Amino acid sequence: MTIPDPQAVTVLGATGSIGVSALDVIGRYPERFRVFALTAHDNDELLYEQCRRFQPARAVLGEDDRAARLRRRLQADGLATQVDSGPRALEEVAAAGEVQTVVAGIVGTAGLAPGLAAVRAGKRVLLANKEALVTAGAVFMQAVEESGAKLLPLDSEHNAIFQCLPADFHRGELAASGVRRILLTASGGPFRDADPATLHAVTPDQACAHPNWSMGRKISVDSATMMNKGLELVEACWLFGLQPDDVQVVVHPQSIIHSLVEYLDGSVIAQMGNPDMRIPIAHALSYPERIASGAQPLDLFQLGRLDFQPPDLERFPCLGLAQDAMKAGGNACATLNAANEIAVAAFLDERIGFMDIPRLLAAVMEQLPSVAVSSLDGVLAADQHSRRVTRDLVKRFEAGRRT
């Protein structure tokens, strides 16, 4: 029996939570996977340790001086890893001919260009970068169609939807596949039962205290406002060819059911598992096979109960703003996403209040009506314009708080 060569993988954002989890899974199967390239923004210390373990052909950092330091350390260890820096190098390792699979784990708009490069090169792309679809969904999905790239979602919710859809599902054909709608679960974050009148006094530390997941501060705030779920709704629409009304957000505090698909015959199929990102990563890496992820098995006897409730748009207005942006189309989602990044950063710096975040976003969306975009340059221009407008509005909100 012939043993196939290990699958060559590039991990974009190797030192982030997705990258670390992906490498944990990859490291369990040296006969199945080999690491071609690892990239990081500025964490050259962790990237050094990862390069020592996986010995990739290439490594990329965001800054020249950190790349030079990593290069010296690896050379001193006798490792032949080629170390580069900058956006062009990111795109090169994403599209390299030696690579079959790319884990797109870079957060923010910095992940757009390398993710798109991987798609245009026809790679198998394991997508964790929300911004690729939230801000540039039309451009990204057109590139997938033209190149024949295979797009597999890593977000636990979208991966769950993918697992629950029929094997012959065609993007945009819900009814033809026997599907009525998608049920997108949300934990509800730390304020799912809070009195809306008290949310104006929320502190950054309170907003970052997620009850189920350990995440970075920005995404923790997005979970607290439910903007994260709004962005995931947009992502689901692009991934599966849906309209916003095809997706029902369901607050599920236990984070055990990661999403569900409701069929025309009344059946509802759910994907369940412990809240561990290695589960969707292992699924996508090995698809259509199954491999062990390293996650703890789900103990049904310890669950006790599973709760569900509709989202409260008075408590979570950001969810409604995301639905409106998806319906508006064009650059509306890029505008909203950029404004949200600036607003959340201002909140974490204690320049604005928690409930100022949705107020800021609504003001930006009103000031910048949607226009059509057909290129990545157009998306990035909308992103930058939204950031400038939002920064100006932050100053006004900040001044208002002082008076």
Side-chain angles (χ1 to χ4, degrees), residues 94-102 117-119 121-125 148-151:
E98 300 93 326
V99 174
Q100 288 87 49
T101 299
V102 175
V119 165
K123 304 301 182 185
R124 179 184 172 107
V125 179
K150 180 69 174 178
L151 197 60

Side-chain angles (χ1 to χ4, degrees), residues 190-191 198-210 215-225 343-355 357 401:
F191 309 127
T198 67
L199 295 180
H200 69 281
V202 165
T203 67
D205 284 345
Q206 289 172 328
C208 291
H210 195 282
M215 305 180 292
R217 287 174 71 79
K218 191 270 180 183
I219 194 171
S220 293
V221 174
D222 282 349
S223 179
T225 64
V344 170
F347 167 68
L348 289 172
D349 289 340
E350 301 187 40
R351 297 175 61 195
I352 64 172
F354 182 74
M355 292 308 293
I357 296 174
R401 295 183 82 200

